[in-house]
Amino acid sequence: MSDDVFRKDTSAAPRGYASWEAAGLLWLAEAEPDGGARVAEVLDVDLDHLDLRRYAPAPPTNVQADELGRALARTHAAGAAAFGSAPDRWPSHGYLGPADEPLPLPLQPTPTWGAFYAEQRILHTLRMGRERGLWADETAPFEAVAQRLHAGEHDDGRPPARIHGDLWSGNVLWTRDGAVLIDPAAHGGHAETDLAMLLLFQGPHTARIIGAYDEAAPLADGWPERVGLHQLHPVMLHAVLFGGGYVSQAVQIARRYA
């Protein structure tokens, strides 16, 4: 295999996982000609692996962080058919989590973000947690958050964004030419979800990235107060996968928005 190729082994993942990830990368890449964020180039897809272009890592600069913020705003602006819509070339639900143990990610087109996030993220992950013995006596805060979401309290009228879906700092690869996004769980969602993920596991220049984003596409009033709401799902997912302090952290976040 060429040194320019990175082969991601997906043999331990459910059948089709490589195609799911490839579909997300290709969908996000459609925004690149209009100034969207760069994503890893897909070279080949098979049942047990995904071949991507290999990129040499390099320390990020302030200028590159600003560029990523502006570019991410353009990617989000490319839009999606609905909240919960899957990437083009992908006909079903997706996955989220490590490649050796990805969890199912519901993708059902939904008219409002609140209804989508309540049912397909909070309540879905709550059910997975309950199946693993989590939150047996602590379901009320999660259900209360879901009820408020269903009621539209956090809907802002903005159209669905084309989001990466798992944009923690480890999925931003910095190179000499700037940032390259990897390992997406791409779908139609709320732009603040990607920004909240950057803040959950902070990497280099997070504040600059978000500041440049806000200049390019001003965020809705009060967005800092909603960061925890958008972080609730990934924290719940980490609790299901890894347990530990994530279990109580998820409850604490839910109580803030219940």
Side-chain angles (χ1 to χ4, degrees), residues 5 15 25 35 53 55 58 67 126 140 183 237 257:
V5 178
R15 185 180 180 89
L25 289 168
R53 185 168 302 284
Y55 300 89
E67 290 173 346
L126 177 62
D183 296 351
L237 192 81
Y257 297 94

Side-chain angles (χ1 to χ4, degrees), residues 206-232:
T206 300
R208 291 194 69 100
I209 296 168
I210 295 177
Y213 183 107
D214 191 30
E215 289 182 3
L219 294 160
D221 291 343
W223 77 267
E225 286 71 43
R226 293 186 295 274
V227 167
L229 181 64
H230 289 272
Q231 291 176 341
L232 178 56

Side-chain angles (χ1 to χ4, degrees), residues 171-218:
N171 285 341
V172 180
L173 176 62
W174 295 99
T175 76
R176 291 183 60 184
D177 297 321
V180 178
L181 306 187
I182 61 173
D183 296 351
H187 61 278
H190 200 299
E192 291 178 9
T193 297
D194 273 350
L195 303 183
M197 276 297 292
L198 283 172
L199 289 165
L200 182 58
F201 301 109
Q202 290 197 31
H205 303 302
T206 300
R208 291 194 69 100
I209 296 168
I210 295 177
Y213 183 107
D214 191 30
E215 289 182 3

Side-chain angles (χ1 to χ4, degrees), residues 96-97 103 105 117 121-122 125 135 165-168 192-201 227-242 246-247 249-250 253:
L96 183 59
L103 297 176
L105 186 72
Y117 194 63
R121 295 297 178 263
I122 304 304
T125 312
W135 306 309
D166 192 18
L167 197 60
W168 70 289
E192 291 178 9
T193 297
D194 273 350
L195 303 183
M197 276 297 292
L198 283 172
L199 289 165
L200 182 58
F201 301 109
V227 167
L229 181 64
H230 289 272
Q231 291 176 341
L232 178 56
H233 170 245
V235 171
M236 292 177 70
L237 192 81
H238 275 70
V240 173
L241 285 167
F242 308 118
Y246 293 117
V247 178
Q249 183 182 359
I253 295 174

Side-chain angles (χ1 to χ4, degrees), residues 88-107:
D88 297 340
R89 308 176 184 87
W90 185 255
S92 183
H93 299 304
Y95 303 95
L96 183 59
D100 58 349
E101 191 187 358
L103 297 176
L105 186 72
L107 292 173

